Amino acid sequence: MAGAVASMAAARPATGSGAHTKMDWLKRFLRHVWMSPIILKRQFPATTLSAIGRAVTESEKSHRGQVRFVIEAELTTSQLWAGISARQRAIDVFSLLRVWDTEENNGVLVYLLLADRKVEIVADRGIHRHTGDERWRGICREIEHHFRKRDFVGGSTVGITKISAELAHYFPATGKHANEQQDAPVVL
């Protein structure tokens, strides 16, 4: 299924034995409780979502891959209690949206978990075998750089452009090809 998962944000140094502390868990829980659809709409209004969808549509003209863009404001209490990380959730979403189910195994998911301020890229094995984890991490860092400046359109479109460059290099467009995944971003 998933060939790679690259996280944009570097892991914070752990204290003590390397496990998360109760305080870290509480801070994360509160970030998710305080996250609201209003914050999501402020950071990703309809105009931004449209720009992301147009960027995906335009980028897919240059390759045979499939790019999906998903934004999730927060995890549920049960997901937090179970210790689900942004990475684990991205893999779940990759599977739920069937991004892996492409003819050439070249689907790529960009997953944003706003409450954790994390971006994850999950790439199917067809493209991942060519690019590797470091390339995806680099793209995630670039997206994060824009997001820190509150440039959500710029960060999203730069990420889509960089992912599409990889897909175009290894899976260039060869005439008309099927669009196997929707181009509009998904808000969960």
Side-chain angles (χ1 to χ4, degrees):
M1 178 169 62
V5 181
S7 175
M8 153 189 80
R12 289 187 182 140
T15 57
S17 66
H20 289 287
T21 66
K22 289 179 185 177
M23 186 58 77
D24 289 338
W25 187 89
L26 181 60
K27 286 178 185 178
R28 182 176 190 231
F29 179 79
L30 291 174
R31 276 195 319 270
H32 284 260
V33 168
W34 288 329
M35 180 56 65
S36 75
I38 294 168
I39 295 170
L40 186 144
K41 286 183 182 191
R42 194 177 311 138
Q43 293 177 346
F44 288 89
T47 54
T48 300
L49 295 175
S50 285
I52 293 168
R54 285 190 308 273
V56 170
T57 299
E58 189 60 33
S59 76
E60 288 184 354
K61 292 177 182 176
S62 67
H63 58 76
R64 299 185 317 272
Q66 296 295 305
V67 178
R68 289 299 301 265
F69 200 98
V70 175
I71 306 160
E72 189 162 30
E74 78 282 341
L75 298 178
T76 65
T77 303
S78 62
Q79 289 169 321
L80 292 168
W81 188 256
I84 302 294
S85 67
R87 172 179 289 204
Q88 290 166 319
R89 181 63 178 150
I91 293 170
D92 289 345
V93 171
F94 183 85
S95 178
L96 290 170
L97 296 179
R98 300 178 62 94
V99 180
W100 55 268
D101 192 15
T102 61
E103 183 70 27
E104 298 182 70
N105 297 315
N106 56 5
V108 178
L109 171 73
V110 179
Y111 173 80
L112 312 179
L113 182 54
L114 293 180
D116 280 353
R117 300 176 193 104
K118 291 205 176 183
V119 175
E120 304 285 340
I121 292 177
V122 183
D124 205 353
R125 64 188 174 273
I127 183 63
H128 179 68
R129 81 172 129 235
H130 297 292
T131 57
D133 293 334
E134 265 321 296
R135 182 65 186 127
W136 301 130
R137 283 189 196 105
I139 294 170
C140 286
R141 284 190 297 270
E142 203 161 340
I143 296 170
E144 179 186 41
H145 174 75
H146 285 273
F147 285 3
R148 273 196 224 113
K149 296 186 295 186
R150 307 196 58 75
D151 179 11
F152 299 106
V153 173
S156 301
T157 56
V158 162
I160 292 164
T161 300
K162 300 278 181 167
I163 291 165
S164 292
E166 295 297 326
L167 286 164
H169 181 72
Y170 297 105
F171 296 93
T174 53
K176 192 166 177 91
H177 58 278
N179 189 11
E180 300 175 79
Q181 297 279 324
Q182 74 176 30
D183 295 345
V186 176
V187 177
L188 298 176

